[in-house]
Amino acid sequence: MTQSNTVTVHILDKDYCIACPPEERANLESAARYLDGKMREIRMSGKVIGADRVAVMAALNITHDLLHKQQNLDQQASSTREQVRDLLDRVDQALATDQDAPQS
């Protein structure tokens, strides 16, 4: 069993010790900085009071962004698949036309 290292991250004026494999440390620290920034934006707006509520609003905003980006990726993948199908059809038509042409 591999032992995880503990990483301390600072989010909204609090430290959190989190078990994390060494190869994921940079990603965890990056995620913590991102979350801290989002929570600070929400707190600075003055519309949400209380760390718990700020955390929930940040989680909702981040989740919304993630789902929106995933939807865009899905739409792009669908569009790309359609373009590839169209190109394959055109290649098939060109090959069929070439085979039908008299050979000299």
Side-chain angles (χ1 to χ4, degrees), residues 43-70:
R43 186 174 69 177
M44 293 291 286
S45 75
K47 296 178 182 176
V48 180
I49 297 175
D52 290 348
R53 290 178 183 256
V54 169
V56 168
M57 290 304 299
L60 285 171
N61 288 338
I62 291 167
T63 303
H64 175 267
D65 291 346
L66 174 67
L67 293 175
H68 183 71
K69 287 180 181 181
Q70 183 62 50

Side-chain angles (χ1 to χ4, degrees), residues 4-11 16-36:
S4 297
N5 293 339
T6 300
V7 178
T8 301
V9 295
H10 192 75
I11 300 171
Y16 298 89
C17 292
I18 301 170
C20 177
E23 65 273 11
E24 290 295 322
R25 181 183 181 116
N27 288 335
L28 174 61
E29 290 171 341
S30 179
R33 281 190 303 274
Y34 185 79
L35 177 58
D36 182 62

Side-chain angles (χ1 to χ4, degrees), residues 98-104:
D98 189 45
Q99 289 176 351
D100 292 342
Q103 302 293 323
S104 25

